[in-house]
Amino acid sequence: MIDSHCHLADRRFTDPQSILQRAASAGVNSIIVPLSRAEEWHWQPPPPADGLPTVALSWGLHPWFAHPETLASFPRQYLQDAVAIGECGLDFGPRGAPRHWQYAIFRQQLHLAREHRLPVILHACKSLDAIILEMRKFRDLRYILHGARASSQQLAQLGEYDCFFGIGSNMFRASRRWLEALRQLPVERLLVETDAPDQCPPHRRDTATYNEPAFLPDIVQALARQLQLPVARVQQHTTANARRCFSLTA
Ligand SMILES: [Zn+2]
Ligand SMILES: [Zn+2]
């Protein structure tokens, strides 16, 4: 399995090595780590080791931290090793930066993605319609809507794009409307993600302080239940989809 969105660089993960070991025991082979705030841009993953999941990196600036001066120091030199740009996007919830900064910084990252031929990991909070409007000027890009939740109308619009959907812990408390919309998506477009250390699955909260990639199988199972498909098939599809989406070789 591939965790398509995990903040392994988050300071709450004081021992990334042991997180990777537990992920491996749970059957996770690869983890995509978005480095989306300036403090994380120079983070180094634990050295690759036999039996541990491979770690692939994405660089971006999250809309909570959108500030023109911060983007000016964006580490473009790393992008040759990146599997994506992001997470980036728009957040119209209370934690979002001033909107004019969010827009400017999101657009600059879309340009960077085009320049470096990288897919874009999208963060949307109360802002998906606005994001879709921005995407219209960047129809040539590949997108990953992480923490996906959308109406059938929005999904129909996104269907015109090369867009993948990161399914995460909201599977455990999804609205009926979202589940109905989700069932219309082609299974070839689905990814699974933990968004760890946040979004701990409700049934893990008694024993775990934080979410972690070792809990990814819970999401695969919940998704399989919702799609009424065998778990093994959802596992195969989402793994192959993530490889294709991020052009993973390892
Ligand atoms: Zn996000
Ligand atoms: Zn995230």
Side-chain angles (χ1 to χ4, degrees), residues 111-181:
H111 280 292
L112 271 179
R114 180 177 276 163
E115 195 184 314
H116 292 268
R117 296 169 184 273
L118 288 169
V120 180
I121 301 173
L122 293 171
H123 168 99
C125 175
K126 304 183 195 302
S127 60
L128 189 52
D129 288 328
I131 285 180
I132 294 171
L133 280 177
E134 294 303 303
M135 288 165 66
R136 285 163 67 173
K137 284 164 239 143
F138 295 88
R139 286 190 176 271
D140 52 314
L141 298 182
R142 170 171 292 170
Y143 296 94
I144 299 100
L145 179 62
H146 112 82
R149 189 183 281 151
S151 67
S152 348
Q153 198 191 355
Q154 288 165 332
L155 289 185
Q157 287 175 284
L158 291 168
E160 295 171 20
Y161 293 84
D162 182 2
C163 187
F164 288 79
F165 298 86
I167 308 298
S169 282
N170 72 30
M171 262 306 90
F172 304 115
R173 45 181 161 76
S175 70
R176 217 164 126 171
R177 243 179 87 223
W178 164 226
L179 289 176
E180 276 164 18

Side-chain angles (χ1 to χ4, degrees), residues 5 7 87 146 195:
H5 193 103
H7 295 278
E87 59 183 296
H146 112 82
D195 204 10

Side-chain angles (χ1 to χ4, degrees), residues 169 173 199-209:
S169 282
R173 45 181 161 76
Q199 313 291 340
C200 195
H203 57 277
R204 295 277 190 179
R205 283 185 196 146
D206 290 344
T207 47
T209 314

Side-chain angles (χ1 to χ4, degrees), residues 28-75:
V28 176
N29 317 95
S30 294
I31 300 177
I32 312 290
V33 177
L35 303 170
S36 357
R37 55 201 293 178
E39 301 91 280
E40 294 175 350
W41 283 344
H42 306 286
W43 181 78
Q44 302 267 344
D50 267 357
L52 285 191
T54 54
V55 174
L57 303 177
S58 169
W59 278 270
L61 187 54
H62 193 287
W64 293 352
F65 314 113
H67 191 290
E69 274 173 31
T70 313
L71 194 70
S73 59
F74 191 83

Side-chain angles (χ1 to χ4, degrees), residues 6 81 229:
C6 166
D81 301 318
L229 288 173

